[in-house]
Amino acid sequence: MKSLFENAFENAPIGMALVSKEGNWLKVNKSLCTIVGYSETELLAINFQKITHPDDLDKDLSLLHEILDGKRETYKLEKRYIHKNKEIIWIQLSVSLVRDANNEPAYFISQIEDITENKKISDQLKKAIEVKSRFLANMSHEIRTPLNGIIGLASLSLDEKLTEEVKGNLEHIRSSSECLLNILNDVLDLSKLEANKTVFKKEDFELENLVKTSLAIFYPLAKSKGLLLDYEVDMNISMFCRGDETRIKQLIYNLVGNALKFTNHGYVKLKVDLERRSENGQYIVMSIEDTGIGIEKENITKILTPFEQVDSSNAREFGGTGLGLAICEKIVNAMEGKISIDSVVGKGTTIKAFFQLENGKKVITKENKSTSNVDLDVDADINKVLVAEDNAVNRLVVKKQLKKLGINEIDFAVNGKEAVKMALCDRYSLILMDIQMPEMDGYEATQIIKDKAPYQATIIGFSANVFNDDKQKGFSVGMDGFLEKPVDLNSLAEVLSVNKRNRLGFTPAVK
Ligand code: ADP
């Protein structure tokens, strides 16, 4: 009669084997034979090296040797076998060592699980995520290009002499387009965060100042709703931190924005407390407390899922895409933290973001630049600008914007080829270069101009492609900066003045 253990070994639903120190199969079970397509006799005549995919052999052998050398007890490895019919099988291998009475290595016990199907599914998933990212990049480009025209022309027209009614209409056009742009940015942002394509910056900042400036934009809304908006920062926190300031602001904007949206009486309070110190920084808890409508228990997990809202009916009262909290969770996760939600319907909600911040250096806080206050005399040195842009409306927008900034000599190229020709025949103080253009794209045109122009041409990428990869590609072909469409007057003015400082040798190119 077979022992219980023998029965368990032979009939186990996953592959099991005893393997000699040299790799010969000593004993194999039925499941292993099914996985690799060999009979028991065939397997016992060969070693595992023979059926291992050549690209996975070194890794497997080196882990085995680590066990034999006493550096580890066990190992797990995803690897490939070649089936008898030559097909590739993905397996999850777990190996441990059995020692003899003298504590010398005797043989290995291996467990082998067929994960080929799972691998196929995860490969398909990876491909689907890639397709989604590419689709979003294209969609972003296609939507941003006309938005540049709409926002740009609405903003410029608002400066003309207009009747109150027309002015009101233009304001609506501008704010609706900006709202559309925000949604587009959220969708893109989440997709980048999900694909782990977001690089978190490390910059020094002062935490209390960040909280104060982030809240500043909300006071008019709070006042108009009759709500008290307040903040409190724990004095035990080290205020000079290092991390991604923009992402933390985004977190505050989303959470405070929601709290104000869903509260009609009472207050919204932001508190920052020290949780504990860590090796090179501190864990903090940022809680946003409101006395608003609250969230039912069963909806709390749902709302952290992208596109989910408590009320998704057509008649819902509040706008939004259901992306804000999902983005916040991804941001906090990237800072080794998590989000928790406490809520009582009719009483209010407290959302806590718990995350880590490294210690930073003391920073001198810059004055926040007013967006409506553009320095129109940006750069007296800039006389002639070339704009390479294939979209006629966007050519009109940038022409009006440049004129407003005091630049009157503006030439246009409608594709990369034309831009190269013009840039090589003339001398431009600045070239604004669209990326996607017919005949020749902006990357190639930039490379040729940088190579061949008899003067040092400053080229600023000027594009609706806003993925980091696009910008990196721009910098790698020699672009000196990058402007994202829709381009506002302030950013354009900044590029022009940074360009001036660059030429005088003060600052590196804008990024
Ligand atoms: P959005 O607000 O754009 O719809 P979010 O992901 O930020 O997307 O929020 C998802 C949903 O969670 C909201 O639509 C709302 O139903 C609920 N919610 C979020 N914050 C609060 C809050 N402070 N009070 C009540 N409900 C909230």
Side-chain angles (χ1 to χ4, degrees):
M1 258 240 322
K2 284 185 179 169
S3 75
L4 273 178
F5 275 120
E6 268 177 313
N7 269 327
F9 180 91
E10 274 173 22
N11 299 309
I14 62 164
M16 289 185 77
L18 304 185
V19 180
S20 77
K21 286 180 288 178
E22 295 72 33
N24 298 316
W25 303 106
L26 302 173
K27 197 168 167 54
V28 293
N29 74 350
K30 285 185 217 141
S31 293
L32 179 59
C33 295
T34 314
I35 291 170
V36 293
Y38 289 96
S39 69
E40 183 180 355
T41 329
E42 285 170 327
L43 275 183
L44 295 183
I46 55 174
N47 55 20
F48 80 79
Q49 292 90 323
K50 207 138 189 123
I51 61 164
T52 293
H53 191 287
D55 292 349
D56 296 338
L57 193 55
D58 284 351
K59 177 90 190 147
D60 201 357
L61 288 174
S62 84
L63 286 166
L64 267 186
H65 283 121
E66 284 185 26
I67 292 195
L68 289 172
D69 296 344
K71 290 183 185 150
R72 57 161 75 228
E73 293 279 303
T74 60
Y75 71 82
K76 278 184 191 285
L77 177 68
E78 270 188 16
K79 64 173 249 186
R80 286 160 290 182
Y81 279 150
I82 315 275
H83 190 277
K84 192 175 175 186
N85 68 11
K86 306 276 180 265
E87 268 176 30
I88 289 175
I89 316 287
W90 273 98
I91 58 128
Q92 168 74 50
L93 173 70
S94 308
V95 179
S96 53
L97 180 68
V98 176
R99 293 180 179 273
D100 63 18
N102 299 323
N103 207 27
E104 290 299 319
Y107 55 87
F108 296 104
I109 303 179
S110 302
Q111 291 179 333
I112 296 122
E113 198 170 353
D114 187 348
I115 54 163
T116 314
E117 277 310 305
N118 294 356
K119 270 274 170 196
K120 271 189 201 153
I121 293 169
S122 80
D123 284 352
Q124 280 167 356
L125 206 65
K126 261 189 215 146
K127 271 197 201 115
I129 291 174
E130 262 174 48
V131 171
K132 185 180 94 173
S133 288
R134 230 176 305 130
F135 166 75
L136 282 171
N138 281 340
M139 186 189 80
S140 155
H141 182 268
E142 294 311 307
I143 299 177
R144 260 165 209 278
T145 305
L147 268 183
N148 189 52
I150 301 170
I151 297 178
L153 285 176
S155 305
L156 288 163
S157 306
L158 274 165
D159 290 339
E160 305 291 326
K161 268 207 171 106
L162 303 165
T163 62
E164 280 310 305
E165 193 186 346
V166 175
K167 220 174 192 164
N169 291 346
L170 280 172
E171 283 288 5
H172 284 308
I173 292 177
R174 185 168 65 176
S175 63
S176 308
S177 331
E178 279 170 356
C179 179
L180 191 59
L181 184 63
N182 283 338
I183 296 173
L184 183 68
N185 284 342
D186 272 359
V187 174
L188 276 176
D189 211 25
L190 186 69
S191 141
K192 282 192 271 180
L193 284 161
E194 277 179 342
N196 289 330
K197 281 201 165 178
T198 308
V199 183
F200 276 71
K201 284 187 236 142
K202 293 238 160 141
E203 52 210 356
D204 294 312
F205 61 89
E206 206 259 318
L207 189 59
E208 183 159 3
N209 184 60
L210 182 147
V211 170
K212 216 161 60 182
T213 50
S214 307
L215 284 187
I217 61 159
F218 290 109
Y219 288 112
L221 174 63
K223 197 172 164 203
S224 72
K225 290 186 85 175
L227 300 172
L228 184 73
L229 175 63
D230 201 6
Y231 74 91
E232 195 182 302
V233 181
D234 182 349
M235 279 305 133
N236 293 315
I237 287 181
S238 315
M239 294 301 172
F240 297 111
C241 305
R242 198 167 162 71
D244 195 327
E245 199 180 356
T246 316
R247 290 286 168 187
I248 300 167
K249 272 191 181 161
Q250 192 180 8
L251 191 71
I252 299 177
Y253 289 155
N254 273 317
L255 297 179
V256 174
N258 274 347
L260 289 170
K261 183 156 84 171
F262 297 106
T263 304
N264 294 321
H265 312 280
Y267 64 86
V268 170
K269 185 166 183 180
L270 192 162
K271 269 178 74 196
V272 192
D273 288 304
L274 176 69
E275 170 79 15
R276 66 186 150 90
R277 302 223 177 268
S278 61
E279 204 179 313
N280 55 350
Q282 55 196 340
Y283 280 93
I284 65 160
V285 189
M286 193 173 267
S287 28
I288 289 88
E289 185 186 335
D290 67 54
T291 49
I293 60 170
I295 309 162
E296 275 150 13
K297 239 196 179 93
E298 60 267 31
N299 286 324
I300 286 183
T301 31
K302 180 173 133 181
I303 57 172
L304 288 172
T305 313
F307 302 105
E308 287 284 3
Q309 294 174 315
V310 169
D311 178 5
S312 52
S313 69
N314 288 331
R316 69 192 161 92
E317 188 184 344
F318 303 100
T321 50
L323 289 175
L325 285 175
I327 290 175
C328 289
E329 194 179 37
K330 294 267 174 319
I331 293 175
V332 171
N333 288 162
M335 294 188 289
E336 294 176 43
K338 58 179 197 265
I339 289 223
S340 71
I341 305 174
D342 267 321
S343 191
V344 180
V345 174
K347 285 238 155 68
T349 304
T350 301
I351 302 195
K352 288 185 179 165
F354 162 85
F355 54 91
Q356 186 180 206
L357 284 175
E358 283 177 26
N359 291 328
K361 288 200 284 283
K362 193 175 168 124
V363 277
I364 298 148
T365 17
K366 285 172 266 166
E367 278 295 306
N368 240 8
K369 246 182 96 182
S370 150
T371 42
S372 58
N373 208 0
V374 180
D375 174 8
L376 294 183
D377 265 339
V378 267
D379 186 351
D381 285 18
I382 289 189
N383 36 42
K384 206 166 184 186
V385 173
L386 172 64
V387 180
E389 166 64 82
D390 61 327
N391 181 294
V393 179
N394 285 339
R395 283 200 296 273
L396 181 68
V397 174
V398 77
K399 183 174 173 182
K400 289 186 175 220
Q401 287 177 322
L402 285 169
K403 287 212 155 154
K404 205 163 177 106
L405 294 171
I407 291 162
N408 290 310
E409 274 194 83
I410 310 158
D411 286 345
F412 286 97
V414 296
N415 59 49
K417 237 182 194 163
E418 216 174 274
V420 169
K421 212 159 129 195
M422 293 170 78
L424 298 185
C425 293
D426 213 324
R427 193 182 182 94
Y428 292 96
S429 328
L430 186 76
I431 300 171
L432 294 179
M433 181 72 78
D434 187 18
I435 304 286
Q436 263 184 41
M437 286 185 290
E439 306 250 355
M440 182 190 286
D441 67 22
Y443 297 128
E444 197 180 339
T446 299
Q447 224 159 8
I448 302 177
I449 298 169
K450 285 277 176 179
D451 264 6
K452 300 201 170 147
Y455 58 100
Q456 222 196 338
T458 302
I459 305 180
I460 304 292
F462 171 63
S463 174
N465 292 4
V466 292
F467 275 73
N468 244 351
D469 301 355
D470 302 311
K471 288 185 205 168
Q472 282 318 321
K473 192 164 174 196
F475 291 123
S476 73
V477 296
M479 285 181 176
D480 300 276
F482 205 94
L483 271 173
E484 280 177 15
K485 282 181 196 161
V487 176
D488 62 45
L489 212 52
N490 268 319
S491 321
L492 190 58
E494 205 170 305
V495 160
L496 298 184
S497 44
V498 169
N499 170 56
K500 176 183 182 180
R501 291 201 299 274
N502 275 346
R503 280 182 288 119
L504 297 175
F506 292 139
T507 45
V510 265
K511 297 232 161 132

mmCIF file with all atom_site columns, all heavy atoms in Angstrom, residues 294-306:
data_model
loop_
_atom_site.group_PDB
_atom_site.id
_atom_site.type_symbol
_atom_site.label_atom_id
_atom_site.label_alt_id
_atom_site.label_comp_id
_atom_site.label_asym_id
_atom_site.label_entity_id
_atom_site.label_seq_id
_atom_site.pdbx_PDB_ins_code
_atom_site.Cartn_x
_atom_site.Cartn_y
_atom_site.Cartn_z
_atom_site.occupancy
_atom_site.B_iso_or_equiv
_atom_site.pdbx_formal_charge
_atom_site.auth_seq_id
_atom_site.auth_comp_id
_atom_site.auth_asym_id
_atom_site.auth_atom_id
_atom_site.pdbx_PDB_model_num
ATOM 1   N N   . GLY A 1 294 ? -22.280 64.061 3.318   1.00 0.00 ? 294 GLY A N   1
ATOM 2   C CA  . GLY A 1 294 ? -21.833 62.736 3.752   1.00 0.00 ? 294 GLY A CA  1
ATOM 3   C C   . GLY A 1 294 ? -21.968 61.690 2.651   1.00 0.00 ? 294 GLY A C   1
ATOM 4   O O   . GLY A 1 294 ? -22.548 61.945 1.591   1.00 0.00 ? 294 GLY A O   1
ATOM 5   N N   . ILE A 1 295 ? -21.409 60.514 2.921   1.00 0.00 ? 295 ILE A N   1
ATOM 6   C CA  . ILE A 1 295 ? -21.434 59.427 1.928   1.00 0.00 ? 295 ILE A CA  1
ATOM 7   C C   . ILE A 1 295 ? -21.904 58.157 2.638   1.00 0.00 ? 295 ILE A C   1
ATOM 8   O O   . ILE A 1 295 ? -21.432 57.849 3.734   1.00 0.00 ? 295 ILE A O   1
ATOM 9   C CB  . ILE A 1 295 ? -20.011 59.165 1.357   1.00 0.00 ? 295 ILE A CB  1
ATOM 10  C CG1 . ILE A 1 295 ? -19.367 60.470 0.876   1.00 0.00 ? 295 ILE A CG1 1
ATOM 11  C CG2 . ILE A 1 295 ? -20.023 58.138 0.231   1.00 0.00 ? 295 ILE A CG2 1
ATOM 12  C CD1 . ILE A 1 295 ? -17.865 60.393 0.702   1.00 0.00 ? 295 ILE A CD1 1
ATOM 13  N N   . GLU A 1 296 ? -22.825 57.427 2.006   1.00 0.00 ? 296 GLU A N   1
ATOM 14  C CA  . GLU A 1 296 ? -23.283 56.176 2.629   1.00 0.00 ? 296 GLU A CA  1
ATOM 15  C C   . GLU A 1 296 ? -22.156 55.162 2.640   1.00 0.00 ? 296 GLU A C   1
ATOM 16  O O   . GLU A 1 296 ? -21.332 55.126 1.727   1.00 0.00 ? 296 GLU A O   1
ATOM 17  C CB  . GLU A 1 296 ? -24.467 55.602 1.833   1.00 0.00 ? 296 GLU A CB  1
ATOM 18  C CG  . GLU A 1 296 ? -25.772 56.220 2.261   1.00 0.00 ? 296 GLU A CG  1
ATOM 19  C CD  . GLU A 1 296 ? -26.768 56.282 1.130   1.00 0.00 ? 296 GLU A CD  1
ATOM 20  O OE1 . GLU A 1 296 ? -26.522 55.612 0.101   1.00 0.00 ? 296 GLU A OE1 1
ATOM 21  O OE2 . GLU A 1 296 ? -27.763 57.005 1.271   1.00 0.00 ? 296 GLU A OE2 1
ATOM 22  N N   . LYS A 1 297 ? -22.169 54.304 3.679   1.00 0.00 ? 297 LYS A N   1
ATOM 23  C CA  . LYS A 1 297 ? -21.106 53.314 3.888   1.00 0.00 ? 297 LYS A CA  1
ATOM 24  C C   . LYS A 1 297 ? -20.816 52.508 2.626   1.00 0.00 ? 297 LYS A C   1
ATOM 25  O O   . LYS A 1 297 ? -19.680 52.332 2.211   1.00 0.00 ? 297 LYS A O   1
ATOM 26  C CB  . LYS A 1 297 ? -21.507 52.367 5.023   1.00 0.00 ? 297 LYS A CB  1
ATOM 27  C CG  . LYS A 1 297 ? -20.522 52.395 6.146   1.00 0.00 ? 297 LYS A CG  1
ATOM 28  C CD  . LYS A 1 297 ? -20.678 51.217 7.073   1.00 0.00 ? 297 LYS A CD  1
ATOM 29  C CE  . LYS A 1 297 ? -19.638 51.343 8.145   1.00 0.00 ? 297 LYS A CE  1
ATOM 30  N NZ  . LYS A 1 297 ? -20.113 52.042 9.329   1.00 0.00 ? 297 LYS A NZ  1
ATOM 31  N N   . GLU A 1 298 ? -21.892 52.004 1.996   1.00 0.00 ? 298 GLU A N   1
ATOM 32  C CA  . GLU A 1 298 ? -21.691 51.105 0.844   1.00 0.00 ? 298 GLU A CA  1
ATOM 33  C C   . GLU A 1 298 ? -21.084 51.828 -0.367  1.00 0.00 ? 298 GLU A C   1
ATOM 34  O O   . GLU A 1 298 ? -20.629 51.188 -1.313  1.00 0.00 ? 298 GLU A O   1
ATOM 35  C CB  . GLU A 1 298 ? -22.985 50.370 0.455   1.00 0.00 ? 298 GLU A CB  1
ATOM 36  C CG  . GLU A 1 298 ? -24.146 51.253 0.048   1.00 0.00 ? 298 GLU A CG  1
ATOM 37  C CD  . GLU A 1 298 ? -25.055 51.571 1.218   1.00 0.00 ? 298 GLU A CD  1
ATOM 38  O OE1 . GLU A 1 298 ? -24.568 51.638 2.360   1.00 0.00 ? 298 GLU A OE1 1
ATOM 39  O OE2 . GLU A 1 298 ? -26.262 51.780 0.983   1.00 0.00 ? 298 GLU A OE2 1
ATOM 40  N N   . ASN A 1 299 ? -21.088 53.168 -0.320  1.00 0.00 ? 299 ASN A N   1
ATOM 41  C CA  . ASN A 1 299 ? -20.526 53.898 -1.476  1.00 0.00 ? 299 ASN A CA  1
ATOM 42  C C   . ASN A 1 299 ? -19.069 54.290 -1.267  1.00 0.00 ? 299 ASN A C   1
ATOM 43  O O   . ASN A 1 299 ? -18.423 54.769 -2.195  1.00 0.00 ? 299 ASN A O   1
ATOM 44  C CB  . ASN A 1 299 ? -21.350 55.154 -1.747  1.00 0.00 ? 299 ASN A CB  1
ATOM 45  C CG  . ASN A 1 299 ? -22.677 54.811 -2.379  1.00 0.00 ? 299 ASN A CG  1
ATOM 46  O OD1 . ASN A 1 299 ? -22.747 53.877 -3.184  1.00 0.00 ? 299 ASN A OD1 1
ATOM 47  N ND2 . ASN A 1 299 ? -23.716 55.515 -2.007  1.00 0.00 ? 299 ASN A ND2 1
ATOM 48  N N   . ILE A 1 300 ? -18.572 54.095 -0.050  1.00 0.00 ? 300 ILE A N   1
ATOM 49  C CA  . ILE A 1 300 ? -17.231 54.605 0.249   1.00 0.00 ? 300 ILE A CA  1
ATOM 50  C C   . ILE A 1 300 ? -16.149 53.927 -0.598  1.00 0.00 ? 300 ILE A C   1
ATOM 51  O O   . ILE A 1 300 ? -15.303 54.604 -1.171  1.00 0.00 ? 300 ILE A O   1
ATOM 52  C CB  . ILE A 1 300 ? -16.934 54.518 1.764   1.00 0.00 ? 300 ILE A CB  1
ATOM 53  C CG1 . ILE A 1 300 ? -17.750 55.616 2.458   1.00 0.00 ? 300 ILE A CG1 1
ATOM 54  C CG2 . ILE A 1 300 ? -15.451 54.708 2.061   1.00 0.00 ? 300 ILE A CG2 1
ATOM 55  C CD1 . ILE A 1 300 ? -17.550 55.744 3.937   1.00 0.00 ? 300 ILE A CD1 1
ATOM 56  N N   . THR A 1 301 ? -16.191 52.596 -0.732  1.00 0.00 ? 301 THR A N   1
ATOM 57  C CA  . THR A 1 301 ? -15.148 51.948 -1.557  1.00 0.00 ? 301 THR A CA  1
ATOM 58  C C   . THR A 1 301 ? -15.368 52.238 -3.033  1.00 0.00 ? 301 THR A C   1
ATOM 59  O O   . THR A 1 301 ? -14.415 52.381 -3.791  1.00 0.00 ? 301 THR A O   1
ATOM 60  C CB  . THR A 1 301 ? -15.121 50.415 -1.345  1.00 0.00 ? 301 THR A CB  1
ATOM 61  O OG1 . THR A 1 301 ? -16.424 49.990 -1.052  1.00 0.00 ? 301 THR A OG1 1
ATOM 62  C CG2 . THR A 1 301 ? -14.153 50.029 -0.259  1.00 0.00 ? 301 THR A CG2 1
ATOM 63  N N   . LYS A 1 302 ? -16.638 52.372 -3.402  1.00 0.00 ? 302 LYS A N   1
ATOM 64  C CA  . LYS A 1 302 ? -16.983 52.602 -4.808  1.00 0.00 ? 302 LYS A CA  1
ATOM 65  C C   . LYS A 1 302 ? -16.361 53.899 -5.350  1.00 0.00 ? 302 LYS A C   1
ATOM 66  O O   . LYS A 1 302 ? -15.859 53.926 -6.473  1.00 0.00 ? 302 LYS A O   1
ATOM 67  C CB  . LYS A 1 302 ? -18.513 52.655 -4.902  1.00 0.00 ? 302 LYS A CB  1
ATOM 68  C CG  . LYS A 1 302 ? -19.081 52.886 -6.271  1.00 0.00 ? 302 LYS A CG  1
ATOM 69  C CD  . LYS A 1 302 ? -20.592 52.730 -6.225  1.00 0.00 ? 302 LYS A CD  1
ATOM 70  C CE  . LYS A 1 302 ? -21.236 53.899 -6.953  1.00 0.00 ? 302 LYS A CE  1
ATOM 71  N NZ  . LYS A 1 302 ? -22.688 53.856 -6.937  1.00 0.00 ? 302 LYS A NZ  1
ATOM 72  N N   . ILE A 1 303 ? -16.369 54.963 -4.520  1.00 0.00 ? 303 ILE A N   1
ATOM 73  C CA  . ILE A 1 303 ? -15.946 56.260 -5.059  1.00 0.00 ? 303 ILE A CA  1
ATOM 74  C C   . ILE A 1 303 ? -14.446 56.383 -5.280  1.00 0.00 ? 303 ILE A C   1
ATOM 75  O O   . ILE A 1 303 ? -13.990 57.324 -5.914  1.00 0.00 ? 303 ILE A O   1
ATOM 76  C CB  . ILE A 1 303 ? -16.454 57.446 -4.198  1.00 0.00 ? 303 ILE A CB  1
ATOM 77  C CG1 . ILE A 1 303 ? -15.991 57.304 -2.756  1.00 0.00 ? 303 ILE A CG1 1
ATOM 78  C CG2 . ILE A 1 303 ? -17.955 57.586 -4.301  1.00 0.00 ? 303 ILE A CG2 1
ATOM 79  C CD1 . ILE A 1 303 ? -16.295 58.530 -1.923  1.00 0.00 ? 303 ILE A CD1 1
ATOM 80  N N   . LEU A 1 304 ? -13.667 55.404 -4.779  1.00 0.00 ? 304 LEU A N   1
ATOM 81  C CA  . LEU A 1 304 ? -12.228 55.449 -5.084  1.00 0.00 ? 304 LEU A CA  1
ATOM 82  C C   . LEU A 1 304 ? -11.945 54.825 -6.449  1.00 0.00 ? 304 LEU A C   1
ATOM 83  O O   . LEU A 1 304 ? -10.829 54.886 -6.963  1.00 0.00 ? 304 LEU A O   1
ATOM 84  C CB  . LEU A 1 304 ? -11.424 54.717 -3.997  1.00 0.00 ? 304 LEU A CB  1
ATOM 85  C CG  . LEU A 1 304 ? -11.345 55.444 -2.647  1.00 0.00 ? 304 LEU A CG  1
ATOM 86  C CD1 . LEU A 1 304 ? -10.716 54.563 -1.607  1.00 0.00 ? 304 LEU A CD1 1
ATOM 87  C CD2 . LEU A 1 304 ? -10.544 56.740 -2.772  1.00 0.00 ? 304 LEU A CD2 1
ATOM 88  N N   . THR A 1 305 ? -12.982 54.204 -7.043  1.00 0.00 ? 305 THR A N   1
ATOM 89  C CA  . THR A 1 305 ? -12.820 53.590 -8.359  1.00 0.00 ? 305 THR A CA  1
ATOM 90  C C   . THR A 1 305 ? -13.033 54.658 -9.434  1.00 0.00 ? 305 THR A C   1
ATOM 91  O O   . THR A 1 305 ? -13.975 55.451 -9.320  1.00 0.00 ? 305 THR A O   1
ATOM 92  C CB  . THR A 1 305 ? -13.881 52.473 -8.545  1.00 0.00 ? 305 THR A CB  1
ATOM 93  O OG1 . THR A 1 305 ? -13.864 51.694 -7.369  1.00 0.00 ? 305 THR A OG1 1
ATOM 94  C CG2 . THR A 1 305 ? -13.613 51.621 -9.754  1.00 0.00 ? 305 THR A CG2 1
ATOM 95  N N   . PRO A 1 306 ? -12.138 54.684 -10.475 1.00 0.00 ? 306 PRO A N   1
ATOM 96  C CA  . PRO A 1 306 ? -12.290 55.703 -11.513 1.00 0.00 ? 306 PRO A CA  1
ATOM 97  C C   . PRO A 1 306 ? -13.700 55.735 -12.104 1.00 0.00 ? 306 PRO A C   1
ATOM 98  O O   . PRO A 1 306 ? -14.302 54.684 -12.305 1.00 0.00 ? 306 PRO A O   1
ATOM 99  C CB  . PRO A 1 306 ? -11.283 55.284 -12.577 1.00 0.00 ? 306 PRO A CB  1
ATOM 100 C CG  . PRO A 1 306 ? -10.289 54.438 -11.869 1.00 0.00 ? 306 PRO A CG  1
ATOM 101 C CD  . PRO A 1 306 ? -10.981 53.835 -10.702 1.00 0.00 ? 306 PRO A CD  1
#
